[in-house]
Amino acid sequence: MDTDVLRKILGRFKLPDLRQALEEWGCVAVDGEVFVGGGPKRGVVDRVVRACQRQGEEIGLEELGTLDLVYNKMYSRSRTWNAYHFTGYKKKQNDSTVSADVFQRSLGKQLFFYFRHVLCVRQYNDALWVWLMIQDKSSTMWTPSNIVHMVYYPASPYIFTSTIKAEYKKYIIQALLLTLGYSKAQFMDLSGRDVESLAELAKRKHSQKGSSRVRHNQEDASPESRTSRKRRKQDEESENEDVIPEDAEDRQWREEYTRDTFGDEPQPILENVTYKLQASFKHGGVAPSMDDQPFHMTVKFSGSNVLEGMKALGPAGIAEPPFPSYLESLPHVGKNTILLAERRKPGDGDDGGNN
Amino acid sequence: MPEDIDTPDHDVSTPGTAVTSSPGSDMNATADSYRNTQRRTGARDTPRGEGGASLSASRLNRTLQMGYLQRKYTPYRTPRTRSMVSPAADRTNTQEVAAQPDWSGLVRCSLNVHHVTPLYRCRLDRAGLKQLSGGLSLHLAQLATAADGNLYRVAVTAKENTDDRIALEITVKRKDTTGRAGSLYAVLCNMEGEVSQLEQGAFTVLPLLLMTGPGTLQNAVVSWLEQRFDCRVCPMSFQPSDLLWAMALGLIRGNNEKVKKQTLDLNYDVPLKEAGLDKISLQIPIKHAQALLSSVAQDTENDLQLDELYLFRQALENHMFDYFRIHLDTMKLSLVATPVLFVDKTGRLKILSVDHVPAVLRMMTSFAFERSPLTVSLKAANESRW
C-alpha cells in the first residue's frame, strides 16, 4: 500500500470534510476517536493511515482511486470541466447505463483494448462520477498526470470531463462511444467549473425555447412568488421617502427588459464567456482609413457568475437594451465560446452570423 | 465634469476634454507648471471612471482648426505629447549599444513600481556605495529574527548609462539558495530629465524605483531607503490615461517574437463584482491594433498626442457598442498587456524584452516625475533661475 499517496490525498481534504469523506469512502472503519484528538490535520491523517494499515485489507490503486473520486465530488469546483455531446444513437445496449457497476464493467472492457488502466465509478444523485487513471509504464504506479474525471448523466447525450491528455483523448472517446452506443462525440464549446450548471446549459441547448421557459425556471410556475418578490423590493425602496428617483421610468424599462429576456430565477454559473468577433470595424467615423481593413477582437467576460452579471448590465446602465441576439440568447445557446463572423459575400449586409 | 469648450483659456488638464490652452502665452513658467501638476494630480485623485466625456470627432476638428494639437510640450510640463523614440540611447549604432548597461535583471519578472522623492546625501562613488551596502545589511539584520540573522548578502552598485546617468542597483541575495528565488533586485533610476538635474545641491534625484522580490524584503528595503536618505517612497498606481501611453509604447515597439500570443490585451473593471461579472477583457491581434493606431495618429514615433490615443480608445468603444451595446466608457481600464510589456493599475510592471527596457524606464520616469510635485517644483525653480 502506498502510504505516501494515501497521505497526500487525505491531506487534500479540509478537516471538517474529512469525516464525511471517510464515511463515503467506506474502505476504513474509522471511529470517532481519530477526530477527537484534535490538533493539526496532519495528526489526524496519520492516525487514519495507521488505522488503514492495521485493518489488514490491502488498500490498492482502486481504493485510492475511489478516495480521489470522493475528493473530486466534494471539491468539483476546483476543476475545469469540458462538455461533450454525443450523436448518432444506435439502439444497442440500453442497460449499460443503468447502474454504476454495469457501466464500470462495460467501460472497463472497452478501455482494456487500448491501455492498462484503473477505473472507478460511483453514482451520486442522478449522475455517474467516473475516475480513470491510465497507466502507461508499470501497473502499480500512481500517475496523477494521467487521471481523467468524468461525469455522466445516464440517458442523456452529454458527458463532462476534466482535461484529457491529447494522446489518450481519442481512445477514451472511442471507448465511451462504444459503451454507450453512440457514433460521434463533439466538443460543445462549453466549459466551466460547476458541473450542475454545465448540465443545465447543455440541456437547454437542445430544447424548444418557447415552451420550455417554465422548465428552465425562467418563469415561476406558481403565481404567488413573483408578487412576493415585488412586494419585497417595494419595501426596500419605500424606506426613504425623501428620495425621488428621477429616472424611475428608465430604470423600470431596463428592469422589465431584463426580466423578460433572462427571467427571474438565478442563472447557471459560468466563469468565462468569450465572444470572438471578426466583423467589420465599426469605429463611428473616428478612423476612416480602417474601413477596409480587417479588425478582429475577442471579448471575454469573466467573473464568479457571468450570466448573472450580464443580466445586471442593463439595470446598472453599463449596457443599453435591447441587446443583440447573441447576447440575449446566451443562456440558451449552450456554449461559452461564441464566434461572430461576418459572411464575406458581396451583397451581404453587416449582420454578424452566429457560427 | 463640465466640458469647457467655450472657455478656451483654462487648461483643464483632465482627460476627456478636448480643449487645451497654449502655454506659450504664459510668462511665469514656474507657476504654470506647478498649476498644471496641481490640477492634474487633483484630477487623478478622484477615483472615477473616465466616463461620459468621450471625444467626438467634431470637437476634435474644432480644436484642430484652432491649431492646438500642433503644440509641443517640454517634458516638465504636463505632457500631452510624448516621444516614443529616445533621443540618443536607442539608436542601433553598435558602438552605443555596446556601452549600454545590462538591464537583464529587470526583464521577465514582476516589478513593483514606486516613486521616490529626492534622496538626501546620496554619495554614488565607491566608498559611498560600500557604506550603503553595509548600512542595508545592518538594517536587514536588525529586522530579522535571531535565528536567521545572517541570511542575506547585500550589494549596492551603480550602473552607468551612456549619457552619464547613474542608476542605483540593490541586490539582496539569500545566502542559502542559488538563483533568484527569494532574493530581491531593485533599481533606482532617473531616465528622463537632463543629466545636470541629477544633483540639486545635497539632493540626488532618482525618482523611479523598481523592485522585484519577496514582499517582506521589499518593505525592509523601502524602510531603509526612507530612513537613510530622508525621502518618501510611495507605490505608484496608474490611471487609465497612463495605461494608454504604456499601450502605445507597447504597440509601437511591438516586435517581440519570443512571445507566443501576439495580442494587445485590455482589461476593464466592471463594477458588478457582487452580481458576478468581474472584468471584461478585449484581445486584439497586434497587427490590427498597430494599424488602428497609425490610422489615428500622424506621427507615431516622435510626437504621439494624448488626443490621438483618445481617438484610438473612442474607436474601440464605438466598435464595442455597435456589436454588444455595452458602454465601454463607463468602465475603467485596469490592465494593458502587449508582447513587449504588461502594466496594470496597481503598479505592477513586467517587461518582456531587454531591448525595450530603456524606453519603458523613460516612460515610467516621466510618470514618476508627474507624481511628485516636489521634484517638479525643484526643477522648475532651477529653470526659472536661468
Side-chain angles (χ1 to χ4, degrees), chain A residues 36 85 119 163 175 181 206 221 264-265 269 276 289 291 312:
Chain A
V36 159
H85 174 54
L119 180 67
T163 38
H206 293 106
D264 260 338
E265 296 296 317
I269 301 177
K276 292 196 168 58
S289 56
D291 264 334

Side-chain angles (χ1 to χ4, degrees), chain B residues 237-276:
Chain B
S237 62
F238 296 111
Q239 293 295 314
S241 49
D242 304 325
L243 293 177
L244 280 180
W245 283 117
M247 173 195 79
L249 184 64
L251 282 186
I252 289 167
R253 293 163 157 268
N255 313 319
N256 186 4
E257 263 75 35
K258 295 196 213 144
V259 176
K260 261 192 300 183
K261 239 184 6 156
Q262 300 266 340
T263 53
L264 165 71
D265 285 346
L266 300 167
N267 279 18
Y268 283 85
D269 267 342
V270 181
L272 288 176
K273 196 148 182 198
E274 328 84 47

Side-chain angles (χ1 to χ4, degrees), chain A residues 11 63 66 89 91 126 131 142 149 151 176 187 212 227 284 293 300 317 336:
Chain A
E63 282 74 34
T66 320
Y89 189 59
K91 278 196 156 263
D126 48 350
W131 180 89
W142 176 267
H149 294 96
V151 178
L176 281 169
F187 176 56
S212 63
T227 47
Q293 299 197 21
K300 187 163 159 186
N336 61 354

Side-chain angles (χ1 to χ4, degrees), chain B residues 1-162:
Chain B
M1 198 79 203
E3 263 113 59
D4 296 320
I5 306 179
D6 302 318
T7 55
D9 299 321
H10 294 310
D11 183 331
V12 185
S13 45
T14 54
T17 54
V19 183
T20 47
S21 71
S22 138
S25 56
D26 283 326
M27 287 296 127
N28 196 351
T30 326
D32 181 62
S33 59
Y34 196 67
R35 196 183 348 124
N36 281 348
T37 42
Q38 280 283 42
R39 211 165 288 149
R40 218 169 133 100
T41 46
R44 199 173 278 120
D45 290 335
T46 54
R48 222 180 319 125
E50 300 188 274
S54 17
L55 194 63
S56 75
S58 59
R59 229 180 288 144
L60 185 62
N61 285 335
R62 204 181 319 168
T63 55
L64 264 176
Q65 288 161 16
M66 299 199 247
Y68 287 159
L69 277 189
Q70 301 307 317
R71 283 174 281 88
K72 285 199 207 310
Y73 276 106
T74 61
Y76 299 121
R77 315 227 172 128
T78 50
R80 293 185 84 78
T81 306
R82 282 184 205 270
S83 165
M84 296 286 140
V85 169
S86 132
D90 288 348
R91 302 227 183 89
T92 50
N93 186 351
T94 46
Q95 250 183 8
E96 306 210 34
V97 167
Q100 286 281 337
D102 175 29
W103 293 117
S104 57
L106 287 178
V107 180
R108 274 193 296 275
C109 52
S110 182
L111 298 163
N112 291 331
V113 186
H114 304 259
H115 66 95
V116 183
T117 57
L119 310 169
Y120 183 59
R121 281 196 204 278
C122 175
R123 282 174 54 206
L124 293 174
D125 51 344
R126 273 191 63 160
L129 292 178
K130 264 189 133 162
Q131 259 186 6
L132 294 180
S133 308
L136 181 53
S137 33
L138 202 62
H139 183 85
L140 286 176
Q142 279 173 349
L143 288 184
T145 60
D148 46 309
N150 226 2
L151 200 54
Y152 296 106
R153 183 179 24 223
V154 173
V156 180
T157 52
K159 263 212 224 305
E160 283 225 16
N161 207 350
T162 43

